[in-house]
Amino acid sequence: MPMPADTAPPSPSADPAQPAQRVSAPLSPPPPPHPLADSPRRWLALAALTLSVLIIGLDGTVINVALPTLSGELGASSAQLQWIGGGYLLALSVVMLPVGLLGDRYGHKRLLVGGITLFGLASLAGTRAGSPDELIAVRTVLGAGAAMIMPLSMAILPRIFSRQELPKAIATWTAATALGMPVGPLVGGWLLNHFWWGSVFVFNVPVAVIALLAAVWLLPGDHDRAPAAPGPFDVTGTVLSVAGITALVYGTILVPDHGWGSPKVLAGIVGGAAVLAAFLIRQRRTAHPLVDLGLFADRAFRWGTLLAVFVNFAVMGILFVVPQYLQSVLGHDAFGTGLRILPLIAGLMVAATLSEPIAKRFGPRLVIPAGLLLLAAGALLGATTAAGDGYGFAAVWLTLIGFGFGSAMVPATGLVMGSLPAERSGQGTSLLETVQQVGGVLGVAALGSVLSAGYLGRLAVHRLDASSAHAARDSVTGADAVAARLHDPGLRASAHAAFVHGMDLVMLTCGVCAALAGVLGLLLLPASAPAPGSPAAPAREGRSSADTADGVAAGGAGPGESVA
């Protein structure tokens, strides 16, 4: 975030032992809007961007359907299966942060095209993987490609759309990222029923090719963007961020198998947190940081990002338990499970459509908390689910959750995007996505522990031998297998009731977190959103976005103006 205009640079005689001070020159108006800002082609460009993030959502969930098949076909152990997913998450988390700064310096489109290409090539390699280790390597490369696509595709949006149309574009982009979640199991289930396991990777290839061609043809060139300030790349900061996030995510991935008290888990989480603390200190002291922590001084960016993390935490937790409930308790296959999650997506789509005019009329301070409270209401309603309830009840609270998700996430993302200077949109979106991603990983691990504690606390295994009891305790699927082998309907009923109890605790936790976030939003969010710092909204020189976020209600920014 730009510093006040009266901040002077350090003199050449300044003490070299003192930390370097970052200085921002007075803001100048960004370059003229790209021709797409007034062209019907901008919607085709948006289609290219949404297609690029759709393949990420598809790939992220389609692999979960294929895990049992991969175990049989490739002989993957449970640890290897865990890292087929974990390697992807790890690469996605660590690559995303430096990608934003690289995009700001060398071109958003250039790196986005590179990310889509990498994703397509890795998917093609996945079809020929002959061992679990090769597949883990492929998934890691896929995660790196996804880390390039997500923040940069978002960073391009303000260069294509005007201030008035940006919320609608963000709503479409957000819906595309969420749409892949239920569609992935649908596609994966159908492919595995008709073809071999590698078909789940083949599916990515034509989608990536179409997204690549559309991006090359439709997206604005990098010569039209506002370039980031030159300076040396923060190699030390990059190493610290990669090491810290790797340790933190690695320790979190081990939680389901080892528990929170495991030395490996504690070493990863505590060590990762310590390294990230060193990273933050480094970012405050270096003249050319990897992440501009000054962005958090902007009220809109700070609270918009925090509330987006709350939303992501709650929704990721819900999407972690609901598919298991639909499959293990209600007995649906992967294809049927994907179909039955569609009410959540339908609610999201409706909210995304309505969020723009509502947010424009009532402002983020009312709309985002209202969405969070709707999300909380849906989660708390889901927390009352009983083992005997059918899918009809679940469809009600899934729809409400989806509507709350869209009502909160779309304007929160718009609020963050509106606070970013055009020349640092990549940095800002990478920071937003990284914080959300790491928060989501930590949240799923924590909520997985809540689910496990609730399940084990209600499961009756006292009549079973040690081996059968261990299998039943491992998962509700394992308990069903033991019950089928022993012809014990009582064990099956106990396992289903225990799982639903654990799910209710997860839903309760998500609901309470969303409600608390809604209250925070009411107290801390700016009354009006700042105009996006994009070519379509020229900046006013000499004021910061923080000034606008706090003072727009007093007549700061007029229509078509923004303060970057």
Side-chain angles (χ1 to χ4, degrees):
M1 176 182 171
M3 299 188 64
D6 58 354
T7 301
S11 66
S13 61
D15 184 357
Q18 294 300 317
Q21 300 295 318
R22 294 196 300 275
V23 178
S24 296
L27 292 173
S28 57
H34 189 272
L36 285 187
D38 296 315
S39 168
R41 284 184 59 190
R42 67 192 183 280
W43 299 108
L44 294 176
L46 177 61
L49 294 175
T50 54
L51 190 61
S52 69
V53 295
L54 179 61
I55 59 174
I56 298 175
L58 288 170
D59 183 76
T61 53
V62 75
I63 196 67
N64 294 331
V65 179
L67 288 179
T69 305
L70 294 174
S71 178
E73 296 287 337
L74 296 180
S77 65
S78 59
Q80 288 171 324
L81 289 176
Q82 183 180 11
W83 279 105
I84 289 172
Y88 179 90
L89 283 176
L90 201 55
L92 179 63
S93 301
V94 302
V95 175
M96 201 178 288
L97 206 55
V99 157
L101 179 58
L102 291 173
D104 287 342
R105 291 193 176 189
Y106 304 113
H108 298 148
K109 178 179 178 178
R110 187 175 292 119
L111 266 71
L112 176 62
V113 167
I116 297 173
T117 303
L118 183 64
F119 198 91
L121 292 175
S123 298
L124 192 61
T127 66
R128 305 184 62 83
S131 70
D133 290 339
E134 290 179 9
L135 194 54
I136 291 170
V138 165
R139 290 284 293 165
T140 302
V141 177
L142 281 170
M148 297 172 69
I149 294 170
M150 289 194 69
L152 296 178
S153 62
M154 186 190 292
I156 291 174
L157 291 177
R159 296 177 49 209
I160 302 175
F161 292 95
S162 66
R163 173 189 178 184
Q164 291 74 23
E165 290 181 330
L166 185 60
K168 186 183 296 184
I170 291 172
T172 305
W173 187 94
T174 304
T177 60
L179 184 61
M181 297 174 186
V183 173
L186 289 175
V187 173
W190 186 85
L191 289 172
L192 291 173
N193 286 341
H194 294 83
F195 304 100
W196 94 113
W197 66 266
S199 61
V200 298
F201 292 99
V202 173
F203 176 77
N204 289 341
V205 177
V207 181
V209 169
I210 295 171
L212 178 64
L213 293 175
V216 171
W217 178 46
L218 295 169
L219 296 181
D222 291 319
H223 61 278
D224 295 310
R225 66 191 175 89
F233 187 77
D234 185 12
V235 177
T236 302
T238 301
V239 171
L240 287 173
S241 71
V242 168
I245 293 175
T246 298
L248 191 64
V249 174
Y250 174 78
T252 304
I253 289 173
L254 296 179
V255 168
D257 287 338
H258 297 269
W260 289 96
S262 164
K264 288 184 178 180
V265 171
L266 291 175
I269 293 177
V270 175
V275 174
L276 288 176
F279 166 73
L280 294 177
I281 293 172
R282 161 78 184 181
Q283 298 308 287
R284 292 181 64 87
R285 293 182 175 180
T286 184
H288 302 283
L290 179 68
V291 174
D292 184 3
L293 298 181
L295 291 172
F296 284 106
D298 185 292
R299 186 179 175 188
F301 184 89
R302 179 171 67 250
W303 296 114
T305 298
L306 178 63
L307 295 182
V309 170
F310 271 102
V311 175
N312 197 54
F313 169 87
V315 172
M316 288 301 102
I318 291 165
L319 288 174
F320 172 69
V321 296
V322 169
Q324 298 180 65
Y325 167 69
L326 294 173
Q327 289 185 355
S328 299
V329 177
L330 298 187
H332 302 293
D333 61 11
F335 186 83
T337 296
L339 281 176
R340 286 164 178 80
I341 297 178
L342 288 178
L344 186 148
I345 303 302
L348 168 62
M349 296 288 194
V350 172
T353 302
L354 298 176
S355 62
E356 179 195 2
I358 294 176
K360 188 179 296 183
R361 178 170 181 178
F362 295 103
R365 184 181 291 172
L366 293 179
V367 174
I368 296 174
L372 283 162
L373 294 176
L374 282 173
L375 174 56
L380 294 175
L381 185 62
T384 66
T385 302
D389 290 335
Y391 172 70
F393 180 57
V396 173
W397 49 261
L398 280 172
T399 303
L400 189 56
I401 287 170
F403 194 85
F405 176 33
S407 299
M409 180 60 84
V410 172
T413 304
L415 187 66
V416 172
M417 292 295 295
S419 69
L420 294 175
E423 72 278 5
R424 282 181 288 172
S425 60
Q427 261 189 303
T429 54
S430 284
L431 183 57
L432 170 65
E433 293 289 339
T434 300
V435 172
Q436 284 187 256
Q437 181 64 36
V438 174
V441 172
L442 292 171
V444 167
L447 294 171
S449 298
V450 172
L451 175 66
S452 178
Y455 174 70
L456 295 176
R458 292 289 182 91
L459 182 65
V461 294
H462 56 277
R463 295 180 289 104
L464 302 178
D465 60 81
S467 176
S468 297
H470 177 75
R473 285 177 169 272
D474 187 55
S475 67
V476 64
T477 304
D480 281 345
V482 172
R485 177 168 54 84
L486 299 178
H487 304 287
D488 186 350
L491 174 61
R492 183 175 182 274
S494 173
H496 288 189
F499 181 87
V500 170
H501 172 65
M503 181 185 77
D504 288 348
L505 293 178
V506 170
M507 302 292 284
L508 177 63
T509 304
C510 293
V512 170
C513 287
L516 290 175
V519 174
L520 282 176
L522 282 171
L523 297 175
L524 300 170
L525 282 172
S528 300
S534 66
R540 182 187 303 161
E541 225 170 301
R543 286 185 62 193
S544 69
S545 54
D547 295 331
T548 301
D550 291 331
V552 69
E561 296 178 311
S562 77
V563 181

